Amino acid sequence: MTVAVETGLWQLDAAASTVGIRHKTMWGLVTVKGGFGALSGTGEVRPDGSAVGTLTLDVASLDTGNAKRDTHLRSADFFDTDHHPEITFAARGAELRDGDQVHVVGQLTVRGISRPLSLTARLTEGDATGLTLDTEFSVDRDQFGLGWNQLGMIRGRTTVTAALRFVRATG
């Protein structure tokens, strides 16, 4: 599939977008899943076809279906939302390659710690009114100061999945 994406400014359609996480816990026996209920973002497709943009997640909106666990995730043991209420990904460059594959290079900031991140997304839909990007990648939470690990229960990398719908920015 080859998709032509209009140049100009785009805005995340938060109601049509999802960002979720999966992490194995309890020594790999249980997979905890969660999603962010509040997210925002903008992007710009440049005349040369490259793109830049920013995605922001409200950390306090993370819902894993367990209120006690969610409260712990917001604490200083993990995300420390009192001091770091947002997770941001700043795409410094995105380039459409091989039909629907988008190579994205940027910077992920969690708990005030920024690290480079490259990923591949798939452009699943794109026309003059909107575009949708799907991606899945993993991050090492230790790199972002999220090393809390009681009794060695939480190991490995966290998988992030995202389906991001962008629409033409107005005004």
Side-chain angles (χ1 to χ4, degrees):
M1 170 176 95
T2 301
V3 178
V5 176
E6 298 276 326
T7 60
L9 299 178
W10 295 82
Q11 183 159 349
L12 186 74
D13 180 349
S17 299
T18 59
V19 176
I21 58 169
R22 286 190 321 266
H23 194 93
K24 290 197 177 288
T25 185
M26 302 296 284
W27 305 280
L29 300 174
V30 175
T31 300
V32 172
K33 297 177 183 179
F36 292 91
L39 50 153
S40 62
T42 58
E44 179 183 4
V45 177
R46 297 172 172 161
D48 68 0
S50 68
V52 295
T54 303
L55 177 67
T56 302
L57 307 175
D58 177 347
V59 182
S61 75
L62 177 60
D63 182 2
T64 66
N66 179 311
K68 185 176 178 182
R69 177 175 48 225
D70 292 346
T71 298
H72 190 205
L73 288 171
R74 291 181 188 104
S75 77
D77 284 345
F78 286 98
F79 289 109
D80 193 11
T81 58
D82 287 346
H83 298 102
H84 306 287
E86 296 176 339
I87 293 173
T88 59
F89 178 71
R92 306 277 188 237
E95 185 179 293
L96 190 60
R97 297 181 181 169
D98 303 323
D100 65 353
Q101 300 297 306
V102 181
H103 179 69
V104 183
V105 175
Q107 185 165 303
L108 179 63
T109 303
V110 180
R111 263 187 84 121
I113 299 170
S114 297
R115 301 276 187 240
L117 177 68
S118 296
L119 58 95
T120 300
R122 195 166 68 88
L123 184 62
T124 59
E125 181 183 354
D127 57 34
T129 60
L131 60 96
T132 302
L133 294 167
D134 288 341
T135 189
E136 181 173 302
F137 58 92
S138 66
V139 293
D140 180 350
R141 58 190 197 91
D142 287 342
Q143 289 188 337
F144 297 96
L146 298 169
W148 187 89
N149 187 5
Q150 187 176 42
L151 303 174
M153 290 192 301
I154 307 170
R155 290 201 181 119
R157 298 171 68 84
T158 299
T159 300
V160 179
T161 57
L164 305 174
R165 175 78 179 155
F166 288 89
V167 294
R168 297 292 279 175
T170 55

